[in-house]
C-alpha cells in the first residue's frame, strides 16, 4: 500500500511539474489571486491600450471595474484571456475612458490608472498601435511631413539602437516578436514624439465574452453586373462588412494586393470599405477581389470593371507579295481591345500620287 501511495504521490508531483508554465503553479489549492498586477497607462486620445494582469490559476474569469462600477464589454472594450494572462483592451480611447480600472480575482484586486492626454494637432510624425501574433515581425512606420528629419526611435522611453533584432530607417522593424516586446514604442523628431503600443498575442488565444462570427460582405446588387465606365471617368466599388472579431479587409487585383495610392483610394472602416479609381484608363479595368477574414473564416466578392476606350492599333502589320495589282497584308489583334469585342477592321488604300483615300 505504501508503495502504491508513493507511486501515486510521485505521479502527482510529476503531473504538477509537467503542467507548470510561465513559472505559475497550477495544481495548488490556493485561492484565486492576482500575481502580476495591472500597470498605470499614460496615453493619447484615439490610441488603443491594454491593462494586463496574471492570476495563479487557469480558466479563471475576472471582474473588471472602472471607478468602482462594473465594466460593460463592447466593440471598444474587449476582455481576453490567454492562459494566466487577463487583458482588458480599450480601443480608440476618448477622454471619457480616463479613470481607475480594477481587476477583481476572488478576494484579490489590482488597480491602475488610465491617463489620456489630448492628441497634439501639429504633429509631424504619427504611429499607430498594432497587435500581432507571437513570432511575427512587427513594423512601425512614421509618416513624416518634413523631409530629412532626424528620426529617433524609443522603446519604453529609451532610445533604440539598430541591432540584430531592430532594423531602422523610417520604419522600425522588430523581428520575431516575443511577449516581452509588448510595450510602448515611440518615434521622435527633434523634441516631438509620437507613441504607439505593440500588443503581442500568444498563438493559443482564447477569446472570451463574444462569439466568433464569420465575415459577411454585403454588396449592392448592381455590382453583380459588370461596372462599365468610359475612359477618364471615376469608378467606385464598395461593400459593407460584418463579423466578429472585426474582419481584416484586403483588396486584390490579379493576385496583387492593392494599396491606397494617389490613383486608387482605398478607405476602410470597421464595417465598410470603398475603392475609388480616378481618371480610369483601359488597363485599370479587370477583376477586383475584396476578401474579409477573421478567425471565423473569410468572405470574398469579385467586382468586374470594364473601362471603355478606343481600341489600340493592330499589331505586327506585314506586307508581302507586292505586285502591281495586289499585295498580302497580315496583322494581329491589337493588345488592347478597348473593352469590347473587335468585330471588323477597316483597310484604306490611296494612290501614292494622291491625298484622297479609297476604301
Ligand atoms: C480549462 O477549460 C477547458 C475547457 O473548458 C478544459 O478543457 C481544461 O481542462 C480546463 N483546464 C483546467 C486546468 O482546468
Ligand atoms: C451598407 O450600410 C449602410 C449603412 O448602414 C446602408 O445604408 C446600406 O444600405 C448598406 N448597403 C448594403 C449593400 O447592404
Amino acid at each position: 500500500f505504501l508503495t502504491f501511495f508513493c507511486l501515486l504521490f510521485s505521479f502527482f508531483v510529476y503531473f504538477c511539474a509537467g503542467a507548470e508554465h510561465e513559472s505559475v503553479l497550477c495544481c495548488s489549492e490556493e485561492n484565486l489571486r492576482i500575481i502580476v498586477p495591472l500597470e498605470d497607462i499614460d496615453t493619447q486620445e484615439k490610441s488603443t491600450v491594454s491593462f494586463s494582469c496574471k492570476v495563479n490559476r487557469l480558466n479563471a474569469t475576472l471582474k473588471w471595474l472602472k471607478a468602482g462600477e462594473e465594466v460593460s464589454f463592447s466593440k471598444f472594450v474587449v476582455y481576453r484571456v490567454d492562459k494566466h494572462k487577463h487583458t482588458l483592451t480599450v480601443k480608440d480611447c476618448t477622454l471619457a475612458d480616463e479613470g481607475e480600472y480594477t481587476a477583481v480575482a476572488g478576494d484579490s484586486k489590482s488597480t491602475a490608472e488610465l491617463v489620456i492626454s489630448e492628441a497634439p494637432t501639429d504633429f509631424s510624425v504619427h504611429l499607430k498601435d498594432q497587435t500581432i501574433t507571437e513570432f511575427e515581425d512587427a513594423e512601425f512606420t512614421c509618416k513624416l511631413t518634413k523631409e530629412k528629419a532626424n528620426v529617433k526611435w524609443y522603446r519604453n522611453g529609451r532610445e533604440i539602437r539598430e541591432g540584430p533584432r531592430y532594423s531602422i530607417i523610417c520604419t522600425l522593424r522588430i523581428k520575431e516578436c516575443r511577449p516581452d516586446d509588448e510595450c510602448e514604442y515611440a518615434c521622435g523628431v527633434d523634441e516631438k514624439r509620437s507613441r504607439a503600443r505593440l500588443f503581442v498575442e500568444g498563438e493559443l488565444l482564447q477569446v472570451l465574452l463574444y462569439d466568433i462570427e464569420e465575415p459577411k460582405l454585403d454588396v449592392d446588387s448592381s455590382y453583380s453586373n459588370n461596372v462599365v465606365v468610359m475612359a477618364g471617368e471615376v469608378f467606385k466599388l464598395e461593400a459593407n462588412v460584418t463579423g466578429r472579431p472585426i474582419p481584416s479587409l484586403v483588396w486584390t487585383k490579379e493576385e496583387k494586393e492593392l494599396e491606397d495610392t494617389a490613383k486608387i483610394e482605398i478607405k476602410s472602416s470597421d464595417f465598410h470599405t470603398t475603392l475609388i479609381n480616378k481618371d480610369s484608363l483601359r488597363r485599370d479595368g479587370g477583376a477586383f477581389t475584396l476578401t474579409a477574414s477573421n478567425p471565423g473564416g473569410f468572405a470574398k466578392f469579385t467586382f468586374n470593371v470594364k473601362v471603355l476606350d478606343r481600341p489600340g492599333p493592330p499589331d505586327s502589320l506585314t506586307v508581302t507579295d507586292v505586285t502591281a495589282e495586289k499585295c498580302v497584308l497580315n496583322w494581329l489583334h491589337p493588345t488592347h481591345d478597348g473593352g469590347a469585342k473587335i468585330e471588323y477592321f477597316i483597310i484604306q488604300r490611296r494612290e501614292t500620287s494622291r491625298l484622297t483615300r479609297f476604301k
Side-chain angles (χ1 to χ4, degrees):
F1 171 74
L2 196 63
T3 318
F4 174 70
F5 180 76
C6 281
L7 254 175
L8 190 69
F9 180 74
S10 60
F11 187 74
F12 179 67
V13 167
Y14 174 78
F15 174 71
C16 276
E20 192 178 339
H21 187 66
E22 295 177 16
S23 66
V24 180
L25 273 173
C26 70
C27 304
S28 64
E29 288 300 311
E30 268 184 297
N31 285 339
L32 174 65
R33 65 188 171 85
I34 295 172
I35 52 174
V36 178
L38 304 180
E39 284 179 13
D40 291 341
I41 299 176
D42 214 326
T43 190
Q44 279 171 2
E45 276 180 292
K46 295 201 165 62
S47 51
T48 292
V49 296
S50 281
F51 284 108
S52 293
C53 63
K54 282 188 184 170
V55 297
N56 60 338
R57 270 205 231 146
L58 284 171
N59 285 8
T61 302
L62 306 196
K63 201 152 92 177
W64 292 88
L65 308 176
K66 185 188 170 213
E69 306 240 328
E70 197 159 335
V71 171
S72 48
F73 305 111
S74 65
K75 189 156 81 72
F76 296 105
V77 182
V78 178
Y79 173 28
R80 288 194 171 97
V81 180
D82 185 8
K83 296 188 192 125
H84 297 92
K85 185 174 169 186
H86 292 248
T87 305
L88 182 76
T89 300
V90 183
K91 296 182 182 170
D92 213 358
C93 286
T94 65
L95 295 178
D97 292 317
E98 194 166 85
E100 227 177 50
Y101 287 78
T102 305
V104 184
D107 294 334
S108 112
K109 277 184 190 179
S110 170
T111 297
E113 202 158 346
L114 175 59
V115 178
I116 298 172
S117 47
E118 280 182 47
T121 48
D122 61 340
F123 220 64
S124 59
V125 285
H126 185 66
L127 295 189
K128 276 196 187 156
D129 288 332
Q130 54 175 300
T131 303
I132 60 154
T133 305
E134 207 177 336
F135 303 121
E136 276 182 353
D137 293 354
E139 210 172 79
F140 287 101
T141 301
C142 62
K143 291 212 169 124
L144 299 173
T145 52
K146 270 198 264 178
E147 271 180 55
K148 286 199 189 159
N150 181 18
V151 180
K152 286 184 177 157
W153 289 91
Y154 304 87
R155 178 191 151 98
N156 273 345
R158 295 185 55 178
E159 194 177 337
I160 296 174
R161 304 258 172 233
E162 194 148 354
R165 291 199 53 238
Y166 300 112
S167 76
I168 303 175
I169 314 168
C170 241
T171 303
L172 170 72
R173 195 174 169 80
I174 307 155
K175 293 179 186 156
E176 293 179 18
C177 288
R178 305 297 166 82
D180 65 356
D181 288 317
E182 181 164 309
C183 62
E184 182 192 274
Y185 292 83
C187 172
V189 175
D190 306 330
E191 292 308 300
K192 295 175 183 173
R193 286 194 197 176
S194 172
R195 298 178 167 80
R197 284 195 81 84
L198 175 65
F199 301 101
V200 182
E201 293 179 338
E203 287 183 283
L204 293 170
L205 182 76
Q206 186 189 351
V207 181
L208 266 201
L209 300 164
Y210 63 66
D211 305 322
I212 288 185
E213 206 179 274
E214 212 179 314
K216 206 168 138 254
L217 292 173
D218 277 317
V219 178
D220 193 86
S221 58
S222 65
Y223 288 115
S224 44
N225 299 322
N226 283 346
V227 176
V228 181
V229 293
M230 296 302 295
E233 286 181 354
V234 170
F235 65 82
K236 179 173 170 186
L237 311 176
E238 61 182 331
N240 288 348
V241 189
T242 56
R244 270 191 300 184
I246 291 164
S248 52
L249 297 169
V250 179
W251 284 94
T252 49
K253 187 182 168 196
E254 286 151 15
E255 318 263 296
K256 271 216 278 273
E257 183 170 342
L258 299 173
E259 287 182 23
D260 188 44
T261 59
K263 171 97 180 158
I264 299 185
E265 186 184 296
I266 295 177
K267 286 219 162 71
S268 297
S269 63
D270 288 350
F271 304 107
H272 189 79
T273 180
T274 53
L275 179 152
I276 295 174
N277 187 88
K278 291 170 219 161
D279 209 2
S280 306
L281 300 174
R282 209 157 42 198
R283 62 166 182 270
D284 295 341
F288 289 77
T289 302
L290 173 64
T291 309
S293 45
N294 75 5
F298 68 91
K300 261 186 198 221
F301 186 85
T302 299
F303 299 82
N304 288 303
V305 179
K306 258 192 177 180
V307 180
L308 300 182
D309 200 354
R310 294 194 318 187
D315 243 5
S316 318
L317 174 69
T318 57
V319 185
T320 49
D321 302 340
V322 184
T323 66
E325 294 82 35
K326 61 173 186 166
C327 67
V328 176
L329 305 180
N330 270 297
W331 66 89
L332 296 175
H333 262 254
T335 322
H336 296 290
D337 63 7
K341 193 168 167 261
I342 292 181
E343 288 174 356
Y344 55 88
F345 293 87
I346 299 170
I347 298 165
Q348 295 178 319
R349 172 177 73 89
R350 96 174 143 77
E351 303 284 333
T352 49
S353 56
R354 299 173 67 170
L355 288 176
T356 45
R357 282 179 268 195
F358 307 99
K359 271 192 191 171

